[in-house]
Amino acid sequence: MFESLFTYPDIKIRTIFIWLLHGRRKGEVLNIRWEDIDFEKNIYTIDSSISKIKKTLQFSLTDTLITALKEYGIKSSGLVFASNQNENKIISKTGMDYHWKNIRFDTGLKNLNMHDLRHIVGGYGVNHGFSLEVVGKTLGHTTANITQRYSKVQRETVKTVIDSLF
């Protein structure tokens, strides 16, 4: 799946997918503006107006995300992922669904939806020893209870706890 996402032929869509792999919600990514990205401080801000929790959130820009944005083409203002038809509007849900269908076809993951990428991030974090608090902050959650829904602990991880006890 990662190979399909990181090599997707449409650079705009590929960059969106990479951003989704950082635990962001689709609406957050599609509505982010260049003014919300600070390359000097290596942070980006999700404004409260586009955040599901209605709070302004800040996250670090990873090297992966910086590289993707540079390849995509950095601008000084406006929507990062504007519609091809109107630079003042975001990409339509239909447009995103078309590209996601291509990814699902390419990977054979017919039932995977875009939001499942957040679950992958959460599950990976928990199963690699990160606390619910850290995983929650990564996903932009306000409480650990919300994060628990995203963090499916693998049987091998549970076994490791018992093995370490004995």
Side-chain angles (χ1 to χ4, degrees):
M1 177 184 66
F2 283 87
E3 182 179 340
S4 292
L5 294 173
F6 277 85
T7 61
Y8 196 75
D10 184 309
I11 185 70
K12 180 187 290 186
I13 302 302
R14 178 172 62 234
T15 307
I16 292 170
F17 289 148
I18 290 170
W19 213 313
L20 293 172
L21 283 172
H22 282 71
R24 300 288 56 82
R25 294 175 181 93
K26 179 172 59 172
E28 295 169 346
V29 174
L30 295 182
N31 284 285
I32 198 159
R33 303 182 65 79
W34 287 109
E35 298 90 339
D36 299 326
I37 304 170
D38 186 334
F39 288 100
E40 289 181 19
K41 294 181 182 174
N42 280 339
I43 59 170
Y44 63 95
T45 302
I46 302 294
D47 188 75
S48 62
S49 64
I50 63 172
S51 165
K52 182 179 177 183
I53 62 171
K54 303 299 180 203
K55 291 184 179 182
T56 298
L57 305 167
Q58 283 194 330
F59 299 96
S60 296
L61 285 169
T62 64
D63 292 340
T64 301
L65 196 48
I66 291 169
T67 299
L69 288 168
K70 285 180 179 177
E71 289 174 3
Y72 173 55
I74 296 170
K75 296 180 181 171
S76 59
S77 64
L79 287 166
V80 175
F81 302 111
S83 163
N84 292 338
Q85 288 76 36
N86 184 338
E87 66 181 34
N88 295 314
K89 292 191 176 190
I90 65 170
I91 295 171
S92 71
K93 180 184 182 317
T94 306
M96 287 302 301
D97 288 347
Y98 167 80
H99 294 287
W100 188 248
K101 181 181 170 187
N102 290 342
I103 291 291
R104 290 183 6 228
F105 178 80
D106 187 49
T107 61
L109 300 169
K110 297 175 191 168
N111 297 321
L112 191 71
N113 64 54
M114 274 186 257
H115 192 75
D116 289 335
L117 297 176
R118 283 178 57 82
H119 289 268
I120 290 169
V121 172
Y124 178 88
V126 168
N127 286 293
H128 285 81
F130 295 95
S131 69
L132 283 179
E133 180 183 10
V134 169
V135 173
K137 292 287 184 195
T138 301
L139 297 174
H141 290 158
T142 55
T143 68
N145 288 342
I146 296 169
T147 307
Q148 285 178 325
R149 293 187 311 207
Y150 288 78
S151 55
K152 305 291 188 242
V153 178
Q154 295 176 351
R155 188 172 42 245
E156 296 81 23
T157 303
V158 174
K159 181 182 179 302
T160 302
V161 171
I162 300 303
D163 287 347
S164 68
L165 176 68
F166 298 108

